[in-house]
Amino acid sequence: MALETEILDESSKDKALEITRSVISIACGSIPIIGTGIAEAINFFIPDNRKERIVSFIKELAGCISKLERQITMLDEWKEKITKDKQDALLFENAILYSMQTESKIKHHCYAFYIFNAIMNSDIEDIQKEAVLKIISLLNEIEVLLLIYLGQDKYLFAESDFHKKYGKFVDRHSACGNDADTIFNAMQDSYLNNLVVYGIATAKNDPEKGPSSFLLPYGNIVYEAIFDEEYFK
């Protein structure tokens, strides 16, 4: 009986692996020209337990590309750059590698949104593009949301779609003396401190008004790099 179960388990694993490979091929196929090559490389080199994360990233990237399908000129330029420019290809490879390190759908979308737009941004040097990608990789999911919160217009934030969807993750708790609130706010302080360490934000603690923070110029660059308004509605 144990042997039969083991055989069934192996069969299920093989089936799951084949499905994953197929999804990668289909998702990558949404990216003209470079899709097939990416699918083959992923299926050959990437460990099975990380492929689902790459599938998520590739799907997000395919979604970003599909939004611009009508802008044929820009799409063709993107394909040409990613296939001919070594630095752009390396940036794309690193985005794939970073995508393997997280299960976060939000992070996968941020990588995809950034990498698609960064390839076409000729105003930023290649080394700077890589630096922004690295910063995105260092942020956890809550820190990404906190960064976006700091980039919002504070007068409009409470009414925004982003706040309605993610406010519970970024709003500080006001009740004092409650252990759960204290822990939550301590975690928020930790996330904010990381943004300060990365040179993204600054934080002040006014004895009367409480903590306040805002994005630094580099933080605004990262904010613009990852904030897809349509996605975060």
PDB file of all heavy atoms in Angstrom, residues 155-181:
ATOM      1  N   TYR A 155      -3.989  64.491   1.532  1.00  0.00           N
ATOM      2  CA  TYR A 155      -5.341  65.033   1.608  1.00  0.00           C
ATOM      3  C   TYR A 155      -6.342  64.157   0.862  1.00  0.00           C
ATOM      4  O   TYR A 155      -7.538  64.148   1.161  1.00  0.00           O
ATOM      5  CB  TYR A 155      -5.367  66.454   1.030  1.00  0.00           C
ATOM      6  CG  TYR A 155      -4.568  67.435   1.839  1.00  0.00           C
ATOM      7  CD1 TYR A 155      -3.302  67.829   1.424  1.00  0.00           C
ATOM      8  CD2 TYR A 155      -5.067  67.960   3.036  1.00  0.00           C
ATOM      9  CE1 TYR A 155      -2.558  68.737   2.177  1.00  0.00           C
ATOM     10  CE2 TYR A 155      -4.329  68.854   3.787  1.00  0.00           C
ATOM     11  CZ  TYR A 155      -3.074  69.241   3.345  1.00  0.00           C
ATOM     12  OH  TYR A 155      -2.339  70.126   4.099  1.00  0.00           O
ATOM     13  N   LEU A 156      -5.858  63.415  -0.128  1.00  0.00           N
ATOM     14  CA  LEU A 156      -6.732  62.568  -0.931  1.00  0.00           C
ATOM     15  C   LEU A 156      -6.630  61.094  -0.545  1.00  0.00           C
ATOM     16  O   LEU A 156      -7.459  60.286  -0.948  1.00  0.00           O
ATOM     17  CB  LEU A 156      -6.379  62.715  -2.420  1.00  0.00           C
ATOM     18  CG  LEU A 156      -6.486  64.126  -3.009  1.00  0.00           C
ATOM     19  CD1 LEU A 156      -6.033  64.115  -4.462  1.00  0.00           C
ATOM     20  CD2 LEU A 156      -7.898  64.665  -2.901  1.00  0.00           C
ATOM     21  N   PHE A 157      -5.606  60.764   0.263  1.00  0.00           N
ATOM     22  CA  PHE A 157      -5.301  59.363   0.536  1.00  0.00           C
ATOM     23  C   PHE A 157      -6.472  58.615   1.153  1.00  0.00           C
ATOM     24  O   PHE A 157      -6.788  57.497   0.759  1.00  0.00           O
ATOM     25  CB  PHE A 157      -4.083  59.267   1.452  1.00  0.00           C
ATOM     26  CG  PHE A 157      -3.747  57.868   1.871  1.00  0.00           C
ATOM     27  CD1 PHE A 157      -3.284  56.941   0.951  1.00  0.00           C
ATOM     28  CD2 PHE A 157      -3.906  57.464   3.184  1.00  0.00           C
ATOM     29  CE1 PHE A 157      -2.979  55.643   1.324  1.00  0.00           C
ATOM     30  CE2 PHE A 157      -3.597  56.169   3.573  1.00  0.00           C
ATOM     31  CZ  PHE A 157      -3.138  55.263   2.638  1.00  0.00           C
ATOM     32  N   ALA A 158      -7.137  59.226   2.139  1.00  0.00           N
ATOM     33  CA  ALA A 158      -8.214  58.537   2.862  1.00  0.00           C
ATOM     34  C   ALA A 158      -9.362  58.144   1.939  1.00  0.00           C
ATOM     35  O   ALA A 158     -10.093  57.188   2.217  1.00  0.00           O
ATOM     36  CB  ALA A 158      -8.724  59.421   3.995  1.00  0.00           C
ATOM     37  N   GLU A 159      -9.526  58.866   0.828  1.00  0.00           N
ATOM     38  CA  GLU A 159     -10.611  58.574  -0.106  1.00  0.00           C
ATOM     39  C   GLU A 159     -10.143  57.752  -1.303  1.00  0.00           C
ATOM     40  O   GLU A 159     -10.956  57.422  -2.170  1.00  0.00           O
ATOM     41  CB  GLU A 159     -11.226  59.890  -0.604  1.00  0.00           C
ATOM     42  CG  GLU A 159     -11.763  60.784   0.499  1.00  0.00           C
ATOM     43  CD  GLU A 159     -12.875  60.103   1.290  1.00  0.00           C
ATOM     44  OE1 GLU A 159     -13.662  59.366   0.660  1.00  0.00           O
ATOM     45  OE2 GLU A 159     -12.939  60.295   2.516  1.00  0.00           O
ATOM     46  N   SER A 160      -8.875  57.439  -1.357  1.00  0.00           N
ATOM     47  CA  SER A 160      -8.329  56.769  -2.538  1.00  0.00           C
ATOM     48  C   SER A 160      -8.685  55.280  -2.562  1.00  0.00           C
ATOM     49  O   SER A 160      -8.943  54.666  -1.524  1.00  0.00           O
ATOM     50  CB  SER A 160      -6.804  56.923  -2.578  1.00  0.00           C
ATOM     51  OG  SER A 160      -6.201  56.171  -1.542  1.00  0.00           O
ATOM     52  N   ASP A 161      -8.677  54.716  -3.766  1.00  0.00           N
ATOM     53  CA  ASP A 161      -8.912  53.277  -3.903  1.00  0.00           C
ATOM     54  C   ASP A 161      -7.806  52.491  -3.214  1.00  0.00           C
ATOM     55  O   ASP A 161      -8.063  51.436  -2.635  1.00  0.00           O
ATOM     56  CB  ASP A 161      -8.974  52.896  -5.388  1.00  0.00           C
ATOM     57  CG  ASP A 161     -10.199  53.467  -6.089  1.00  0.00           C
ATOM     58  OD1 ASP A 161     -11.256  53.559  -5.435  1.00  0.00           O
ATOM     59  OD2 ASP A 161     -10.101  53.815  -7.274  1.00  0.00           O
ATOM     60  N   PHE A 162      -6.584  53.020  -3.291  1.00  0.00           N
ATOM     61  CA  PHE A 162      -5.456  52.342  -2.643  1.00  0.00           C
ATOM     62  C   PHE A 162      -5.690  52.230  -1.142  1.00  0.00           C
ATOM     63  O   PHE A 162      -5.481  51.167  -0.548  1.00  0.00           O
ATOM     64  CB  PHE A 162      -4.155  53.111  -2.911  1.00  0.00           C
ATOM     65  CG  PHE A 162      -2.964  52.565  -2.169  1.00  0.00           C
ATOM     66  CD1 PHE A 162      -2.289  51.451  -2.642  1.00  0.00           C
ATOM     67  CD2 PHE A 162      -2.533  53.151  -0.985  1.00  0.00           C
ATOM     68  CE1 PHE A 162      -1.196  50.932  -1.950  1.00  0.00           C
ATOM     69  CE2 PHE A 162      -1.449  52.643  -0.289  1.00  0.00           C
ATOM     70  CZ  PHE A 162      -0.785  51.533  -0.782  1.00  0.00           C
ATOM     71  N   HIS A 163      -6.145  53.326  -0.514  1.00  0.00           N
ATOM     72  CA  HIS A 163      -6.370  53.298   0.931  1.00  0.00           C
ATOM     73  C   HIS A 163      -7.490  52.346   1.309  1.00  0.00           C
ATOM     74  O   HIS A 163      -7.404  51.625   2.309  1.00  0.00           O
ATOM     75  CB  HIS A 163      -6.685  54.700   1.445  1.00  0.00           C
ATOM     76  CG  HIS A 163      -6.890  54.751   2.934  1.00  0.00           C
ATOM     77  ND1 HIS A 163      -8.134  54.831   3.512  1.00  0.00           N
ATOM     78  CD2 HIS A 163      -5.999  54.691   3.954  1.00  0.00           C
ATOM     79  CE1 HIS A 163      -8.001  54.835   4.834  1.00  0.00           C
ATOM     80  NE2 HIS A 163      -6.726  54.740   5.128  1.00  0.00           N
ATOM     81  N   LYS A 164      -8.545  52.330   0.506  1.00  0.00           N
ATOM     82  CA  LYS A 164      -9.663  51.436   0.810  1.00  0.00           C
ATOM     83  C   LYS A 164      -9.225  49.968   0.767  1.00  0.00           C
ATOM     84  O   LYS A 164      -9.742  49.137   1.499  1.00  0.00           O
ATOM     85  CB  LYS A 164     -10.793  51.675  -0.203  1.00  0.00           C
ATOM     86  CG  LYS A 164     -11.458  53.039  -0.059  1.00  0.00           C
ATOM     87  CD  LYS A 164     -12.446  53.294  -1.182  1.00  0.00           C
ATOM     88  CE  LYS A 164     -13.026  54.704  -1.074  1.00  0.00           C
ATOM     89  NZ  LYS A 164     -13.931  55.023  -2.219  1.00  0.00           N
ATOM     90  N   LYS A 165      -8.270  49.677  -0.098  1.00  0.00           N
ATOM     91  CA  LYS A 165      -7.833  48.295  -0.269  1.00  0.00           C
ATOM     92  C   LYS A 165      -6.706  47.912   0.686  1.00  0.00           C
ATOM     93  O   LYS A 165      -6.671  46.781   1.195  1.00  0.00           O
ATOM     94  CB  LYS A 165      -7.367  48.089  -1.710  1.00  0.00           C
ATOM     95  CG  LYS A 165      -7.091  46.638  -2.085  1.00  0.00           C
ATOM     96  CD  LYS A 165      -6.819  46.528  -3.574  1.00  0.00           C
ATOM     97  CE  LYS A 165      -6.592  45.077  -3.995  1.00  0.00           C
ATOM     98  NZ  LYS A 165      -6.344  44.950  -5.458  1.00  0.00           N
ATOM     99  N   TYR A 166      -5.789  48.859   0.952  1.00  0.00           N
ATOM    100  CA  TYR A 166      -4.590  48.508   1.706  1.00  0.00           C
ATOM    101  C   TYR A 166      -4.403  49.311   2.993  1.00  0.00           C
ATOM    102  O   TYR A 166      -3.394  49.144   3.680  1.00  0.00           O
ATOM    103  CB  TYR A 166      -3.347  48.712   0.833  1.00  0.00           C
ATOM    104  CG  TYR A 166      -3.323  47.869  -0.416  1.00  0.00           C
ATOM    105  CD1 TYR A 166      -3.571  48.423  -1.670  1.00  0.00           C
ATOM    106  CD2 TYR A 166      -3.063  46.497  -0.355  1.00  0.00           C
ATOM    107  CE1 TYR A 166      -3.549  47.647  -2.826  1.00  0.00           C
ATOM    108  CE2 TYR A 166      -3.045  45.717  -1.497  1.00  0.00           C
ATOM    109  CZ  TYR A 166      -3.288  46.301  -2.731  1.00  0.00           C
ATOM    110  OH  TYR A 166      -3.272  45.529  -3.860  1.00  0.00           O
ATOM    111  N   GLY A 167      -5.373  50.169   3.318  1.00  0.00           N
ATOM    112  CA  GLY A 167      -5.235  51.025   4.492  1.00  0.00           C
ATOM    113  C   GLY A 167      -4.953  50.263   5.781  1.00  0.00           C
ATOM    114  O   GLY A 167      -4.178  50.718   6.626  1.00  0.00           O
ATOM    115  N   LYS A 168      -5.553  49.104   5.918  1.00  0.00           N
ATOM    116  CA  LYS A 168      -5.374  48.338   7.167  1.00  0.00           C
ATOM    117  C   LYS A 168      -3.935  47.887   7.371  1.00  0.00           C
ATOM    118  O   LYS A 168      -3.527  47.550   8.483  1.00  0.00           O
ATOM    119  CB  LYS A 168      -6.297  47.127   7.189  1.00  0.00           C
ATOM    120  CG  LYS A 168      -6.028  46.107   6.084  1.00  0.00           C
ATOM    121  CD  LYS A 168      -7.026  44.957   6.158  1.00  0.00           C
ATOM    122  CE  LYS A 168      -6.798  43.945   5.046  1.00  0.00           C
ATOM    123  NZ  LYS A 168      -7.769  42.821   5.112  1.00  0.00           N
ATOM    124  N   PHE A 169      -3.141  47.893   6.289  1.00  0.00           N
ATOM    125  CA  PHE A 169      -1.748  47.473   6.401  1.00  0.00           C
ATOM    126  C   PHE A 169      -0.805  48.637   6.685  1.00  0.00           C
ATOM    127  O   PHE A 169       0.311  48.420   7.144  1.00  0.00           O
ATOM    128  CB  PHE A 169      -1.293  46.781   5.112  1.00  0.00           C
ATOM    129  CG  PHE A 169      -2.083  45.548   4.777  1.00  0.00           C
ATOM    130  CD1 PHE A 169      -2.952  45.537   3.697  1.00  0.00           C
ATOM    131  CD2 PHE A 169      -1.965  44.400   5.545  1.00  0.00           C
ATOM    132  CE1 PHE A 169      -3.672  44.407   3.377  1.00  0.00           C
ATOM    133  CE2 PHE A 169      -2.692  43.260   5.245  1.00  0.00           C
ATOM    134  CZ  PHE A 169      -3.555  43.262   4.150  1.00  0.00           C
ATOM    135  N   VAL A 170      -1.252  49.870   6.400  1.00  0.00           N
ATOM    136  CA  VAL A 170      -0.341  51.017   6.534  1.00  0.00           C
ATOM    137  C   VAL A 170      -0.792  52.039   7.564  1.00  0.00           C
ATOM    138  O   VAL A 170       0.022  52.848   8.034  1.00  0.00           O
ATOM    139  CB  VAL A 170      -0.143  51.723   5.170  1.00  0.00           C
ATOM    140  CG1 VAL A 170       0.510  50.785   4.176  1.00  0.00           C
ATOM    141  CG2 VAL A 170      -1.450  52.265   4.615  1.00  0.00           C
ATOM    142  N   ASP A 171      -2.074  52.053   7.936  1.00  0.00           N
ATOM    143  CA  ASP A 171      -2.555  53.003   8.939  1.00  0.00           C
ATOM    144  C   ASP A 171      -2.067  52.603  10.326  1.00  0.00           C
ATOM    145  O   ASP A 171      -2.229  51.439  10.726  1.00  0.00           O
ATOM    146  CB  ASP A 171      -4.087  53.050   8.947  1.00  0.00           C
ATOM    147  CG  ASP A 171      -4.649  53.788   7.747  1.00  0.00           C
ATOM    148  OD1 ASP A 171      -3.912  54.593   7.155  1.00  0.00           O
ATOM    149  OD2 ASP A 171      -5.828  53.561   7.411  1.00  0.00           O
ATOM    150  N   ARG A 172      -1.504  53.534  11.051  1.00  0.00           N
ATOM    151  CA  ARG A 172      -1.089  53.249  12.418  1.00  0.00           C
ATOM    152  C   ARG A 172      -2.317  53.127  13.308  1.00  0.00           C
ATOM    153  O   ARG A 172      -3.347  53.763  13.081  1.00  0.00           O
ATOM    154  CB  ARG A 172      -0.183  54.359  12.952  1.00  0.00           C
ATOM    155  CG  ARG A 172       1.163  54.439  12.253  1.00  0.00           C
ATOM    156  CD  ARG A 172       2.014  55.554  12.842  1.00  0.00           C
ATOM    157  NE  ARG A 172       2.349  55.285  14.221  1.00  0.00           N
ATOM    158  CZ  ARG A 172       3.377  54.535  14.619  1.00  0.00           C
ATOM    159  NH1 ARG A 172       4.174  53.984  13.715  1.00  0.00           N
ATOM    160  NH2 ARG A 172       3.632  54.342  15.889  1.00  0.00           N
ATOM    161  N   HIS A 173      -2.217  52.295  14.350  1.00  0.00           N
ATOM    162  CA  HIS A 173      -3.304  52.147  15.306  1.00  0.00           C
ATOM    163  C   HIS A 173      -3.205  53.259  16.345  1.00  0.00           C
ATOM    164  O   HIS A 173      -2.125  53.560  16.844  1.00  0.00           O
ATOM    165  CB  HIS A 173      -3.221  50.776  15.986  1.00  0.00           C
ATOM    166  CG  HIS A 173      -3.516  49.642  15.062  1.00  0.00           C
ATOM    167  ND1 HIS A 173      -3.633  48.328  15.488  1.00  0.00           N
ATOM    168  CD2 HIS A 173      -3.725  49.607  13.716  1.00  0.00           C
ATOM    169  CE1 HIS A 173      -3.901  47.541  14.449  1.00  0.00           C
ATOM    170  NE2 HIS A 173      -3.948  48.298  13.370  1.00  0.00           N
ATOM    171  N   SER A 174      -4.334  53.865  16.645  1.00  0.00           N
ATOM    172  CA  SER A 174      -4.331  55.009  17.555  1.00  0.00           C
ATOM    173  C   SER A 174      -4.582  54.634  19.012  1.00  0.00           C
ATOM    174  O   SER A 174      -4.215  55.371  19.928  1.00  0.00           O
ATOM    175  CB  SER A 174      -5.389  56.031  17.107  1.00  0.00           C
ATOM    176  OG  SER A 174      -6.676  55.434  17.065  1.00  0.00           O
ATOM    177  N   ALA A 175      -5.226  53.491  19.261  1.00  0.00           N
ATOM    178  CA  ALA A 175      -5.537  53.095  20.633  1.00  0.00           C
ATOM    179  C   ALA A 175      -4.266  52.836  21.432  1.00  0.00           C
ATOM    180  O   ALA A 175      -3.362  52.153  20.969  1.00  0.00           O
ATOM    181  CB  ALA A 175      -6.425  51.857  20.636  1.00  0.00           C
ATOM    182  N   CYS A 176      -4.195  53.414  22.596  1.00  0.00           N
ATOM    183  CA  CYS A 176      -3.008  53.247  23.448  1.00  0.00           C
ATOM    184  C   CYS A 176      -3.290  52.219  24.535  1.00  0.00           C
ATOM    185  O   CYS A 176      -4.416  52.092  25.017  1.00  0.00           O
ATOM    186  CB  CYS A 176      -2.629  54.582  24.089  1.00  0.00           C
ATOM    187  SG  CYS A 176      -2.192  55.867  22.905  1.00  0.00           S
ATOM    188  N   GLY A 177      -2.268  51.521  24.919  1.00  0.00           N
ATOM    189  CA  GLY A 177      -2.403  50.568  26.009  1.00  0.00           C
ATOM    190  C   GLY A 177      -2.821  49.180  25.572  1.00  0.00           C
ATOM    191  O   GLY A 177      -2.792  48.238  26.368  1.00  0.00           O
ATOM    192  N   ASN A 178      -3.216  49.027  24.317  1.00  0.00           N
ATOM    193  CA  ASN A 178      -3.596  47.724  23.800  1.00  0.00           C
ATOM    194  C   ASN A 178      -2.351  47.043  23.239  1.00  0.00           C
ATOM    195  O   ASN A 178      -1.657  47.599  22.392  1.00  0.00           O
ATOM    196  CB  ASN A 178      -4.647  47.906  22.699  1.00  0.00           C
ATOM    197  CG  ASN A 178      -5.183  46.581  22.168  1.00  0.00           C
ATOM    198  OD1 ASN A 178      -4.412  45.758  21.674  1.00  0.00           O
ATOM    199  ND2 ASN A 178      -6.479  46.390  22.269  1.00  0.00           N
ATOM    200  N   ASP A 179      -2.072  45.831  23.717  1.00  0.00           N
ATOM    201  CA  ASP A 179      -0.848  45.134  23.302  1.00  0.00           C
ATOM    202  C   ASP A 179      -0.791  44.914  21.794  1.00  0.00           C
ATOM    203  O   ASP A 179       0.258  45.067  21.169  1.00  0.00           O
ATOM    204  CB  ASP A 179      -0.745  43.787  24.023  1.00  0.00           C
ATOM    205  CG  ASP A 179      -0.410  43.957  25.502  1.00  0.00           C
ATOM    206  OD1 ASP A 179       0.054  45.048  25.867  1.00  0.00           O
ATOM    207  OD2 ASP A 179      -0.614  42.996  26.272  1.00  0.00           O
ATOM    208  N   ALA A 180      -1.933  44.544  21.209  1.00  0.00           N
ATOM    209  CA  ALA A 180      -1.964  44.286  19.765  1.00  0.00           C
ATOM    210  C   ALA A 180      -1.638  45.561  18.989  1.00  0.00           C
ATOM    211  O   ALA A 180      -0.900  45.524  17.996  1.00  0.00           O
ATOM    212  CB  ALA A 180      -3.331  43.753  19.361  1.00  0.00           C
ATOM    213  N   ASP A 181      -2.187  46.694  19.428  1.00  0.00           N
ATOM    214  CA  ASP A 181      -1.913  47.964  18.764  1.00  0.00           C
ATOM    215  C   ASP A 181      -0.450  48.358  18.925  1.00  0.00           C
ATOM    216  O   ASP A 181       0.176  48.868  17.990  1.00  0.00           O
ATOM    217  CB  ASP A 181      -2.800  49.076  19.342  1.00  0.00           C
ATOM    218  CG  ASP A 181      -4.269  48.867  19.003  1.00  0.00           C
ATOM    219  OD1 ASP A 181      -4.543  48.242  17.964  1.00  0.00           O
ATOM    220  OD2 ASP A 181      -5.118  49.308  19.779  1.00  0.00           O
TER     221      ASP A 181
END
